[in-house]
Amino acid sequence: MPETAAASSPDWAGVQLHVVTGKGGTGKSTVAAALALALASSGKNVLLCEVEGRQGIARMFDVDPLPYEERQIAKGLPATPGAAAPDGSPRGPAGTVFALHIDAESALLDYLAMYYKLGRAGRALDRFGVIEFATTIAPGVRDVLLTGKVFEAAKAGRRGKGVRQYDAVVLDAPPTGRITQFLNVSDELAGLAKVGPIKSQSDTMMTLFRSERTAVHLVTVLEEMPVQETADGIAELRATRLPVGGVVVNLARPHELDADDLAEVADGATEVEGLASDLAAAGLDGSPDELVDVADHLLRQGRDHAERLALETTQRALVDEFEVPTYELPRLAGGVDLGGLYELAAQLRRQGMA
Ligand SMILES: Nc1ncnc2c1ncn2[C@@H]1O[C@H](COP(=O)(O)OP(=O)(O)OP(=O)(O)O)[C@@H](O)[C@H]1O
Ligand SMILES: [Mg+2]
């Protein structure tokens, strides 16, 4: 499947804002980080943003907690000298991944400073509890502040003093259940601002979010609930006219047995005694009884593995029916360290996602 994905995947090259959502715990943060590295490996300067206030990026990249300030955290993989990109073009130097941890309170101060020229007076507002008011009480305002900051980073042609220009922004976004509401700032603000700077700002944001310069990718694992949630998420995004990107199937189990062996194990056709004597013949130490125990354990594990793979196959067929570009990342044994992130990034690149 990874081989076919590259051929059928569209070109995300024109996408400025990659939004990565998915059911909780399926690997949104991991995939967002891997995608940022993959884009950087294709020579782009990328900003990886998080908005959930959990410092996941800092943990993944093994750096100190991020401030509300853009930080360089990694380089894309350097191109192999002389190697061409999958499309045949020569590879340039690797780009850089910057990271930004966005919190609503800082974003509000930013916003006040920018639009109302409050400057340092804005900071003083904190003491009067305005910030707490705006971010915990006014409905929807929190999301709008976070989304607004992401928009600022992603919008084109921004090259002011001390402001970096990014080729792409990757957002480690809220989960599928909240993503449409999160991006649909015009709805959130409908009751708050019908005219004025906030209204026109939200219109400009929606123009970007609804355009081909944005792609909302959904991460899933091959289990019933997350796949169903992905289907619902795609439908909801489409109903709101937000651009559905790709589906990233994460944590896919490796196929350790070939189809025949798998069928045999699943059917219970392998005899415990037979396997035990094979183990003895292969030189495994142990009394006959112990070897039978080992064989029994192995067969049970094999059956379990076969069952899970069968379930994954069923769910993969459902994912295929979404008719969106699909990418697949393996479950890395022992979890994801920085090296693992680069490995996942390389897979995404090979499959044509970046
Ligand atoms: N391909 C993978 N192989 C092995 N472990 C993985 C893989 N992808 C993610 N994980 C691990 O699974 C856990 C959950 O991943 P992650 O934090 O990226 O999910 P999330 O969707 O962002 O979760 P949350 O909803 O809590 O934000 C982490 O411990 C992560 O290291
Ligand atoms: Mg996360």
Side-chain angles (χ1 to χ4, degrees):
M1 128 152 256
E3 285 73 24
T4 57
S8 62
S9 73
D11 196 357
W12 304 115
V15 170
Q16 267 167 273
L17 175 59
H18 294 269
V19 178
V20 180
T21 184
K23 184 171 162 45
T26 54
K28 294 180 296 296
S29 302
T30 305
V31 170
L35 178 58
L37 280 177
L39 290 164
S41 299
S42 68
K44 295 190 166 173
N45 287 322
V46 185
L47 181 68
L48 174 62
C49 299
E50 66 185 352
V51 290
E52 300 265 80
R54 287 191 274 132
Q55 292 288 351
I57 297 178
R59 262 198 307 281
M60 283 184 291
F61 285 89
D62 206 10
V63 297
D64 290 337
L66 297 167
Y68 182 71
E69 190 178 275
E70 296 153 40
R71 276 277 162 90
Q72 177 175 332
I73 52 163
K75 279 283 196 189
L77 272 188
T80 321
D87 64 2
S89 58
R91 277 195 180 142
T96 302
V97 178
F98 297 82
L100 177 64
H101 175 87
I102 303 176
D103 66 277
E105 289 74 9
S106 305
L108 177 61
L109 290 174
D110 240 23
Y111 184 82
L112 293 173
M114 196 163 16
Y115 286 88
Y116 298 100
K117 310 263 183 296
L118 283 181
R120 259 198 280 164
R123 313 270 148 194
L125 286 175
D126 202 1
R127 287 193 218 125
F128 301 105
V130 172
I131 295 189
E132 197 181 334
F133 167 76
T135 54
T136 63
I137 301 182
V141 165
R142 186 174 200 95
D143 276 357
V144 174
L145 288 165
L146 298 172
T147 324
K149 183 71 183 174
V150 174
F151 169 77
E152 287 297 325
K155 80 179 173 192
R158 184 165 170 269
R159 208 192 282 269
K161 199 172 93 196
V163 178
R164 279 190 195 89
Q165 165 93 11
Y166 297 104
D167 300 306
V169 171
V170 177
L171 173 63
D172 177 5
T176 332
R178 293 210 299 118
I179 191 62
T180 301
Q181 191 190 3
F182 183 81
L183 292 174
N184 195 7
V185 285
S186 57
D187 257 24
E188 299 255 14
L189 284 173
L192 279 175
K194 295 208 163 51
V195 290
I198 293 186
K199 168 78 171 95
S200 69
Q201 165 85 350
S202 89
D203 288 349
T204 321
M205 281 161 62
M206 287 317 296
T207 305
L208 171 66
F209 297 159
R210 290 208 164 113
S211 76
E212 289 179 348
R213 289 174 290 144
T214 295
V216 184
H217 308 295
L218 299 101
V219 182
T220 189
V221 292
L222 292 172
E223 288 166 18
E224 205 171 312
M225 293 257 294
V227 168
Q228 183 57 50
E229 199 168 302
T230 306
D232 296 344
I234 290 173
E236 207 181 317
L237 288 164
R238 285 184 176 151
T240 320
R241 292 188 289 124
L242 287 162
V244 175
V247 168
V248 180
V249 169
N250 188 30
L251 291 161
R253 284 192 165 72
H255 289 234
E256 274 151 2
L257 300 173
D258 68 27
D260 289 346
D261 288 346
L262 207 56
E264 197 181 309
V265 168
D267 295 348
T270 314
E271 301 268 336
V272 179
E273 286 75 17
L275 182 58
S277 56
D278 284 353
L279 290 172
L284 198 72
D285 278 345
S287 68
D289 278 355
E290 282 167 345
L291 288 183
V292 165
D293 278 352
V294 173
D296 187 53
H297 180 74
L298 283 174
L299 284 177
R300 232 182 295 211
Q301 276 198 331
R303 259 196 305 278
D304 188 54
H305 179 68
E307 268 165 31
R308 284 168 195 272
L309 283 185
L311 183 74
E312 290 197 351
T313 303
T314 311
Q315 296 302 320
R316 193 179 279 110
L318 293 176
V319 169
D320 287 343
E321 284 174 20
F322 299 156
E323 295 193 333
V324 301
T326 303
Y327 309 90
E328 190 159 319
L329 295 176
R331 176 183 296 266
L332 297 183
V336 185
D337 56 8
L338 190 53
L341 273 187
Y342 277 100
E343 191 177 326
L344 296 177
Q347 297 249 7
L348 290 179
R349 239 164 106 52
R350 271 201 293 282
Q351 293 174 41
M353 192 175 188

